[in-house]
Amino acid sequence: MNDSDIFKVVQTLVGYTKDSYNMSLRDQIKDLLPIETASGYYLSNKVEFYDPIQDQVFYRNYKYNDEKTRLNSLEYINGRIDYYNRLCDDEFKKSGSIYDLIDPLPLWGVRVSLSSSILNYKTKPNTDVNKPTVRILNHEFLYKCALKLNSEDFTKRFNKMVYVYLNKLTGGKKLLVDNTLYKPIIEYEDWFMSTGQDLHEINALTTGLRGMKTSDSPVAFTSDEKIKKIHTIYSLRANPNHRKWYSSPVEAQIISLIENGMIDGFVKDCMFKNVNKINIKKLAYKLKCSDKTAKKFIIKHASYLLEQ
């Protein structure tokens, strides 16, 4: 990976998109965090796309550990997405109907979870429901690393890669508190210290993996520990927020919170004061639904929250 590739990875880590109007990229990079874990993105063995114009669901099954079927399935669905996006223009020209364009699915996805911040205590990513803690990296080299390394090795080598890149950008200068990279560098250094690792002894991912033995549990084939608690693996969907997929908006919201690593933070202020249990009435109020509906979908999608 070259510096340009790593910069794109940094953009992904901070959640930057071309439509990010609220914050500049510079401000977002100030909140850059290391990753805490890495896991597989294609474990569902099924990819789907709902075409709103044709009112049709397209899908393909694959084996997550079979690269040929995985790539063929994704390329088929991305072909359907491309066709749909072209139809959007045609529909607008013919009738003025407006349909949302849909991004293609990543071919080289790796799911990573961000670590907690040591500097922004009021906005820790694992407690702030407005900040997703899950990112999907999409780079062929990183994916191939994920086929070889386990989560622990991938995580520390990935963080070392970003840390080296950040320090390279500083040019060896001593940074002031207001400098863009001041906080990120501290976050990365503290991550290594808090995990008991000497960052100088760790190889960055960019040093290559040649000659390294493939792990028995590579990242690409491993589920995140929090996802394991849910007992459900959702199919990979190109437009996951479309109402077509869910029986109600409440269910859609809960699944979105789960997939973005935000469900624990969302229910945090719905707990009883003196007991570590969810107050369903408070949760229902927050979800804007009945107590019965809130409990039904929590049991269905995140029952571990009721077992605490």
Side-chain angles (χ1 to χ4, degrees):
M1 293 182 72
N2 56 36
D3 287 352
S4 177
D5 291 329
I6 299 176
F7 180 64
K8 290 177 182 176
V9 168
V10 168
Q11 289 179 309
T12 300
L13 290 176
V14 299
Y16 174 78
T17 66
K18 293 179 180 179
D19 299 324
S20 299
Y21 300 114
N22 295 331
M23 292 179 67
S24 67
L25 177 58
R26 175 185 290 181
D27 287 336
Q28 287 181 295
I29 289 177
K30 286 182 178 180
D31 292 328
L32 174 65
L33 292 168
I35 66 171
E36 192 66 33
T37 60
S39 56
Y41 180 58
Y42 302 104
L43 301 179
S44 66
N45 288 328
K46 184 177 183 179
V47 58
E48 298 179 283
F49 164 58
Y50 171 65
D51 185 329
I53 296 177
Q54 300 184 75
D55 190 24
Q56 185 175 352
V57 173
F58 297 94
Y59 74 93
R60 281 291 185 273
N61 294 314
Y62 60 86
K63 293 182 179 180
Y64 68 80
N65 57 355
D66 182 331
E67 282 300 285
K68 184 177 180 180
T69 64
R70 185 187 70 81
L71 286 171
N72 285 345
S73 298
L74 288 166
E75 287 169 353
Y76 168 78
I77 293 298
N78 282 343
R80 298 303 319 182
I81 293 171
D82 180 64
Y83 179 70
Y84 158 80
N85 285 337
R86 285 185 278 118
L87 281 182
C88 289
D89 293 334
D90 295 340
E91 289 295 316
F92 180 74
K93 291 175 183 177
K94 285 191 299 184
S95 63
S97 299
I98 298 176
Y99 291 90
D100 293 330
L101 296 177
I102 296 173
D103 293 328
L105 287 164
L107 295 180
W108 311 105
V110 178
R111 186 182 191 274
V112 297
S113 297
L114 302 180
S115 68
S116 298
S117 170
I118 63 162
L119 298 175
N120 298 329
Y121 295 106
K122 294 181 180 179
T123 56
K124 285 185 179 180
N126 61 347
T127 58
D128 188 342
V129 300
N130 296 316
K131 289 189 176 183
T133 64
V134 172
R135 300 284 188 260
I136 306 302
L137 307 176
N138 183 29
H139 192 282
E140 185 174 0
F141 173 76
L142 294 179
Y143 181 78
K144 288 181 176 178
C145 290
L147 287 173
K148 200 158 190 175
L149 299 173
N150 61 31
S151 181
E152 181 181 354
D153 289 336
F154 180 95
T155 298
K156 64 185 180 183
R157 293 186 64 169
F158 175 90
N159 284 339
K160 176 65 178 287
M161 175 186 73
V162 177
Y163 176 76
V164 169
Y165 171 70
L166 296 179
N167 273 278
K168 182 179 179 181
L169 292 179
T170 69
K173 298 176 182 177
K174 185 175 181 179
L175 300 181
L176 301 176
V177 175
D178 291 334
N179 287 137
T180 301
L181 298 182
Y182 179 82
K183 286 165 56 179
I185 288 176
I186 290 178
E187 294 283 6
Y188 275 81
E189 289 176 344
D190 185 80
W191 184 88
F192 283 103
M193 287 188 288
S194 65
T195 54
Q197 301 178 80
D198 184 346
L199 67 86
H200 300 293
E201 295 182 355
I202 295 169
N203 291 323
L205 279 181
T206 43
T207 60
L209 303 174
R210 185 173 297 176
M212 180 173 287
K213 184 180 178 181
T214 300
S215 169
D216 293 332
S217 54
V219 167
F221 304 159
T222 305
S223 179
D224 182 270
E225 288 300 319
K226 285 190 176 181
I227 296 296
K228 289 179 182 178
K229 293 181 181 179
I230 295 168
H231 308 302
T232 302
I233 297 179
Y234 305 107
S235 61
L236 185 58
R237 290 167 175 165
N239 44 350
N241 296 322
H242 198 282
R243 62 182 180 275
K244 173 74 175 181
W245 303 115
Y246 310 107
S247 61
S248 80
V250 175
E251 183 179 27
Q253 183 179 4
I254 289 174
I255 291 176
S256 178
L257 289 167
I258 289 170
E259 293 189 328
N260 286 291
M262 298 158 64
I263 188 67
D264 291 337
F266 186 84
V267 303
K268 187 175 182 181
D269 60 356
C270 299
M271 309 296 284
F272 286 105
K273 286 186 177 180
N274 300 318
V275 183
N276 190 31
K277 288 189 176 182
I278 295 176
N279 184 327
I280 294 296
K281 190 171 290 294
K282 279 188 177 181
L283 179 62
Y285 178 80
K286 195 169 185 178
L287 289 169
K288 299 179 182 178
C289 66
S290 68
D291 297 4
K292 183 178 179 181
T293 298
K295 188 172 184 179
K296 179 179 76 171
F297 287 126
I298 286 295
I299 290 174
K300 180 179 179 181
H301 296 289
S303 60
Y304 77 93
L305 291 171
L306 300 177
E307 298 166 0
Q308 295 177 347

